[in-house]
Amino acid sequence: MSDASYSTENERIRALEARVSSLERQLKRQKIARKNAESFLETYSQDAYLANQALRKALKDSKQRERQLLYLNRTASQLTHAKSGESYIFSALESAVEFSGAYCGKAFTVKDDELIIGNDNKVLVQGQGWVTSHTLSQFIQEETPLDLRESYSHWCVSAVIQPETDKESRLLHFMHEMSKGEYTWLVLLTKDDNLEEETLYVLDTTKHYLNITSRYQNKKTELSTRQLELSNVKKDRDFLEERLVSADKMAMLGQLAAGIAHEINNPIGYVRSNTVVAKEIFNDYQRALEEIGSLCQQAGGEIASHFMALEKRFSLKDSAAEIAEMFDESHEGIERIIEIVKALRSFSYPGSGKHSQISAIDAMNTAIKLTNNLHRYRNAVRFEVPDEDVFFSGNSGQIQQVLVNFLTNAIYATPEGKCITLKVQKSELDVSLVVEDEGEGMSKETLSKVFTPFFTTKPPGEGTGLGMSISMTIVEEHNGKIDIISAEGKGTKVSVVLPLP
C-alpha cells in the first residue's frame, strides 16, 4: 500500500472516529434532556394529581357545606312557619333524617308522664316516608331514655345492633323540654356504624331551632290567650255598659210610666163613667123619640106628615145609629186606654206580691188553659211534661203573666196548623220554662228591640208593646233571665231561666 493510500485511510478513520464521538456526545445530551424532561413530567404529574385531589376535596367540602346550609335553611324555615308543636317536631325530624342520611327516625313526646306522640308503629324511613314497622318502632322506643327529664346539651350517640340487619349501627337522640311538663325526643338510627363528627355538630342546630320555636309558639299562644281574654273583658264591659244605660233608661221610663198611669187613671175613669151614662141617656132619648113617632103615626094627618118631614130632614134614624156606633167606639177606645194604663202600672211596679213555691208543670198547664181560646182552633200546643216536677220560688201571678205573654206571642207568630211546644228543663242551679214555636221567627233587628218598651210588630191597636218589657222586668225581679233564639222562617225559642232554691 502506498503512502498516499495509507494516509487517506487514516484520515477516513479519524473522520469516522470524530463522527462517532460527535454522535456519542449528542446522544449523551439527548439522554440528559430526556431525563430532565421525565423528571419535569413526573413533578408536573405529581403536582397535577395533588391539585386534582385538593380540588376534589374542596368540591366535596363545598357540597357538604351546601348540604349543611340547605339543611339549616330548610329547618329554620319549617320550624318558623309551623303552626303547632306537633308539626314543627315532625318537620325537624324529617330534615334531620334527610341531612344525616340516617336509615330511619322517630319522634316522641311525653306530657305529664304520658306518651302522647310516638305511641304507634310508624317510623320515618329515608326515601320511603312514614312506614309501619312494629320491630323498629319498639326497638327505638326501648333504646330511648324516655324517663329522662334533663335536656341534652348535644346529641347522644350509642352503639346498637339494628334489628332488621343484625349489624352494628348508631342511635342518635336528644331531648328538649317544650314547656312545663312536656318533653320531646328526636331519635335517628343510622344504616351502619359510619358517622361523621361534623354531622353531629350541624344536627345540634336542630336543638337550638326547637328551643327558639317552642318559646316562640308558647309566647304566641300566651299572647293569643291574653288577647282573647282582653276581648272577652271588653265585650263584658260593653255589655255591662249597655245594660247600665238600659237600666237607667228603664228606671226613668218606669218613673215616667208611673206618673202617666197616675195622671191618666182618674180622668179616664170620669170619661169612662160619663160615656156609659151618656149612652144610657141617649138610649132613653132614642126610645122617647120612637114613642113620639108612634103617637104621630097614630094621630095621622098633618101631624104625621110633619113628623116624617122632620125625621127625613134631620136623618134621625141614621144619626141615631151613627151616635150609637160612636158610643161603642168611644167605649172600646177607653177600655184600650185603661188596658195600657194597667200595663204601665205593672211595668212600673213589678215587684209587688209575695213569693211562694211554684210548680213548673202547673204554671205551664195554667198558661195553656188561659190561652185556650186563642189556640184551640188555630195551633197544636204540646206540653212535654217532665218525669219529675220542678218547684221554684216566685210570685205565681207574675210568672203566669210572663208565660201567658210568651205563649200569646207564639200563637200570634205561628201560622195556622203549626205546632207550639212547651218544655221544662232542669239543671243543677236553675229551671228553664221554654216556649218554642214554628212561626215566622224574628230578624236580628227585631230581636235587638224586642224588650224595648212600646215596640211591637203587631198592627196598630193589637198590642201595647209593653208585654216583653214587663216580662223582662218581672223575670229580673226573680233573679232570672230570658234567653231568645230566633231565625227568620224557622221559628222562635224563648226560655225563662229561674234560679232554684
Side-chain angles (χ1 to χ4, degrees), residues 33 66 101 120 146 203 210 214 244 253 307-308 357 384 463:
E66 184 182 8
D120 52 23
L146 299 179
L203 284 174
L210 278 178
S214 62
L244 184 60
L253 188 59
F307 177 81
M308 292 293 292
Q357 288 294 310
E384 297 180 359

Side-chain angles (χ1 to χ4, degrees), residues 237-306:
R237 187 196 65 186
D238 294 342
F239 175 74
L240 290 174
E241 287 179 353
E242 289 178 4
R243 291 295 299 273
L244 184 60
V245 172
S246 177
D248 289 340
K249 289 181 179 178
M250 295 293 278
M252 294 175 63
L253 188 59
Q255 295 175 1
L256 178 63
I260 292 174
H262 178 74
E263 294 297 329
I264 293 178
N265 196 43
N266 291 332
I268 202 65
Y270 304 148
V271 174
R272 182 187 189 188
S273 177
N274 292 340
T275 304
V276 173
V277 174
K279 184 177 181 181
E280 291 175 354
I281 294 173
F282 173 74
N283 290 336
D284 292 339
Y285 273 101
Q286 193 173 13
R287 283 193 295 271
L289 184 62
E290 289 175 355
E291 290 180 8
I292 292 172
S294 297
L295 291 174
C296 291
Q297 291 293 334
Q298 290 176 7
E302 187 177 350
I303 295 175
S305 61
H306 188 65

Side-chain angles (χ1 to χ4, degrees), residues 276-415:
V276 173
V277 174
K279 184 177 181 181
E280 291 175 354
I281 294 173
F282 173 74
N283 290 336
D284 292 339
Y285 273 101
Q286 193 173 13
R287 283 193 295 271
L289 184 62
E290 289 175 355
E291 290 180 8
I292 292 172
S294 297
L295 291 174
C296 291
Q297 291 293 334
Q298 290 176 7
E302 187 177 350
I303 295 175
S305 61
H306 188 65
F307 177 81
M308 292 293 292
L310 288 173
E311 186 179 39
K312 184 177 181 181
R313 177 182 174 186
F314 293 104
S315 304
L316 295 179
K317 288 185 178 181
D318 293 339
S319 297
E322 290 177 2
I323 293 172
E325 186 178 351
M326 290 178 187
F327 274 118
D328 291 336
E329 289 178 354
S330 298
H331 183 72
E332 183 181 346
I334 291 169
E335 293 298 327
R336 175 74 176 156
I337 293 172
I338 291 173
E339 180 185 346
I340 293 174
V341 170
K342 287 181 179 179
L344 284 171
R345 290 175 64 86
S346 297
F347 176 69
S348 304
Y349 306 107
S352 59
K354 295 181 180 180
H355 285 207
S356 60
Q357 288 294 310
I358 303 174
S359 163
I361 294 178
D362 290 346
M364 287 296 205
N365 283 326
T366 303
I368 294 173
K369 290 177 183 177
L370 291 174
T371 57
N372 184 59
N373 290 334
L374 297 176
H375 62 73
R376 180 168 50 183
Y377 303 111
R378 178 181 173 87
N379 306 106
V381 176
R382 183 180 61 200
F383 178 28
E384 297 180 359
V385 183
D387 296 334
E388 183 179 352
D389 200 355
V390 183
F391 293 88
F392 58 94
S393 178
N395 182 283
S396 179
Q398 292 175 351
I399 295 299
Q400 208 62 67
Q401 180 182 355
V402 171
L403 293 177
V404 168
N405 180 54
F406 289 155
L407 186 51
T408 302
N409 289 343
I411 295 168
Y412 174 81
T414 305

